[in-house]
């Protein structure tokens, strides 16, 4: 089972847009039969099989084994991943907005996050080593010092790009996003 599956096909996303299928998918975090899942959910095995069949068609569930019960072959299924990411390309930009070039806009941050999500999803998670780092924190900047803060941040990053921007060594992508925190209450 993979940790994350990046969904880029509309059929895969549509398979998840039914609450009952999401519940079936959750129950299949561990291998189980449709009868076992049906018992857990208080549904008929036929109803669960219908949802499992759709999830298998979408590549979200696989049959991992089979057993014979009272002369009937019963499939044992498991989710293909622990979590699923919906690609932003499934929705696209509402209203046909163009990719923004203003690096101080929220549109640019959204474009950047989509790019990061796509890049991470494309990584080979079977590789023995995927060196990476994630840093998150909160900074409080008085409105009259906002421009100074952005210039300092840009300068610091430009310094890193200059020092490590050569053609030697492993290539890493650095993406930094700075955006207003949702809760704007002040102490």
């Amino acid at each position: 089972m993979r940790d994350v599956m990046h969904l880029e096909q509309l059929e895969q996303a549509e398979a998840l847009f039914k609450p009952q299928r999401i519940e079936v998918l959750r129950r299949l975090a561990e291998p189980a039969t449709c009868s076992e899942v049906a018992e857990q959910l208080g549904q008929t095995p036929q109803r669960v099989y219908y949802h499992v069949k759709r999830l298998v068609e979408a590549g979200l569930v696989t049959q991992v084994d089979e057993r014979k019960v009272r002369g009937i072959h019963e499939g044992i299924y498991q989710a293909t991943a622990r979590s699923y990411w919906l690609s932003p390309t499934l929705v696209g930009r509402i209203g046909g907005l163009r990719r923004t070039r203003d690096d101080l806009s929220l549109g640019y941050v959204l474009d950047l996050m989509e790019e990061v999500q796509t890049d991470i999803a494309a990584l080979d998670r079977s590789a023995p080593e995927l060196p990476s780092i994630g840093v998150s924190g909160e900074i409080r900047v008085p409105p009259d010092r906002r421009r100074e803060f952005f210039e300092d941040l840009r300068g610091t990053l430009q310094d890193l790009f200059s020092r490590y921007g050569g053609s030697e060594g492993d290539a890493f992508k650095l993406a930094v996003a700075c955006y207003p925190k949702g809760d704007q209450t002040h102490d």
Side-chain angles (χ1 to χ4, degrees), residues 93 100 102-111 178-180:
R93 287 282 191 235
T100 180
D102 178 6
D103 61 353
L104 294 179
S105 74
L106 287 177
Y108 182 78
V109 172
L110 287 172
D111 288 341
C178 184
Y179 50 90

Side-chain angles (χ1 to χ4, degrees), residues 5-57:
M5 184 174 181
H6 192 239
L7 306 180
E8 298 185 81
Q9 297 173 359
L10 188 57
E11 296 77 23
Q12 292 174 314
E14 287 174 341
L16 286 177
F17 289 146
K18 292 202 179 283
Q20 295 128 342
R21 287 197 193 134
I22 291 173
E23 278 306 309
V24 168
L25 193 57
R26 284 186 179 131
R27 306 295 174 167
L28 293 175
E30 298 297 325
T33 65
C34 292
S35 298
E36 292 167 337
V37 172
E39 187 176 321
Q40 293 171 8
L41 297 176
Q43 296 181 4
T44 66
Q46 294 81 4
R47 183 176 181 90
V48 169
Y49 178 74
Y50 168 79
H51 292 302
V52 168
K53 185 177 176 185
R54 296 295 173 261
L55 291 166
V56 167
E57 289 169 358

Side-chain angles (χ1 to χ4, degrees), residues 17 20 25 50-51 60 126 154 158 167-168 174 184 187:
F17 289 146
Q20 295 128 342
L25 193 57
Y50 168 79
H51 292 302
L60 306 176
S126 65
R154 186 186 318 251
Q158 282 306 123
S167 60
E168 300 292 319
L174 174 64
Q184 289 294 320
D187 298 324

